[in-house]
Amino acid sequence: MTAYARGDTAAFRELFERYAPMLLRMLLRQLRVREEATDLLQQTFLQLHRARLDFDSGQRFRPWIFTIALNLKREYWRRARRRPESVLDDAALAELGVEARGAKRWEARRDLLHGLAQVRPDQREVIELHWFEGLSFSEIGECLGLTANAVKVRAHRGYVTLRERLGDDLPPLEEGASNRPATAGIDPKSIP
């Protein structure tokens, strides 16, 4: 980012290639319409461009760009005065390009997304950033303006709700464990 702020356009291309796919995945999970998610992704990088001279090189880049994308997503929902649909059915998953690798896996994926949709939005946001995007609790805290401990509390409460919704498909939460649920062999990164 520092190189891009100094005018290196190749650095921007590198940032885009590295972060656009994970930001698009995050946006698609909430918006579920590729055109809207792509539009917010473009707005994210436009904001990055506008703020390039304000970027603090002592700051970590990943939480910074995720914060931009999350703020744009929140603004989108405020403007639209609507909430994301709570369940992705089989047709919607197929439309997003999620390929079924067997009926059991497809069903588990649908159940997981349905379970996540029932988690409070602030807790779901933390779970998605940690589990799907691989951000650490401290990075999520930077994105959301929270302490790492507050993020852990939200994640824990969200996982408890997921456990209630999904039953025995989640392993027990253990002290010091990663707290990332493993649901029926689903690789979280395979879910858009």
Side-chain angles (χ1 to χ4, degrees), residues 13-31:
R13 279 192 300 275
E14 176 66 27
L15 291 171
F16 187 83
E17 289 173 8
R18 187 177 298 176
Y19 290 96
M22 67 178 78
L23 290 169
L24 184 61
R25 269 195 320 269
M26 177 195 66
L27 293 167
L28 270 173
R29 260 192 305 285
Q30 289 284 316
L31 303 176

Side-chain angles (χ1 to χ4, degrees), residues 10-191:
F12 178 82
R13 279 192 300 275
E14 176 66 27
L15 291 171
F16 187 83
E17 289 173 8
R18 187 177 298 176
Y19 290 96
M22 67 178 78
L23 290 169
L24 184 61
R25 269 195 320 269
M26 177 195 66
L27 293 167
L28 270 173
R29 260 192 305 285
Q30 289 284 316
L31 303 176
R32 301 199 176 102
V33 177
R34 184 168 287 280
E35 292 79 21
E36 292 173 358
T38 302
D39 184 48
L40 286 183
L41 178 67
Q42 290 173 353
Q43 289 179 41
T44 299
F45 280 93
L46 178 61
Q47 291 293 331
L48 174 145
H49 171 73
R50 289 178 178 159
R52 71 190 179 283
L53 300 177
D54 297 328
F55 179 74
D56 177 5
S57 61
Q59 224 180 312
R60 291 187 296 177
F61 179 75
R62 189 161 82 161
W64 187 72
I65 194 160
F66 268 88
T67 300
I68 293 171
L70 289 168
N71 287 337
L72 287 168
K73 180 187 73 169
R74 288 183 194 114
E75 180 59 29
Y76 168 86
W77 288 120
R78 276 192 294 271
R79 274 191 329 263
R81 293 182 183 241
R82 59 183 175 171
R83 297 286 174 230
E85 296 176 17
S86 61
V87 179
L88 276 178
D89 60 13
D90 294 345
L93 286 170
E95 185 179 318
L96 289 174
V98 177
E99 295 179 22
R101 293 184 187 124
K104 206 173 201 181
R105 187 173 172 87
W106 182 266
E107 209 172 283
R109 180 178 288 133
R110 187 189 61 225
D111 292 346
L112 174 63
L113 291 173
H114 182 352
L116 272 173
Q118 296 177 44
V119 174
R120 281 183 27 187
D122 60 331
Q123 296 168 359
R124 179 177 55 242
E125 185 173 59
V126 168
I127 291 170
E128 288 176 346
L129 289 172
H130 181 65
W131 195 34
F132 295 118
E133 304 309 328
L135 270 66
S136 69
F137 288 131
S138 61
E139 289 175 322
I140 296 168
E142 288 178 47
C143 291
L144 303 178
L146 301 168
T147 65
N149 285 337
V151 170
K152 288 177 186 178
V153 168
R154 282 188 186 182
H156 174 74
R157 289 178 179 161
Y159 288 138
V160 167
T161 301
L162 264 180
R163 181 175 307 291
E164 291 169 0
R165 302 297 188 265
L166 299 177
D168 292 332
D169 288 343
L170 290 174
L173 295 175
E174 298 175 12
E175 188 65 35
S178 131
N179 284 344
R180 290 186 184 185
T183 306
I186 295 174
D187 174 13
K189 294 195 188 303
S190 71
I191 301 173

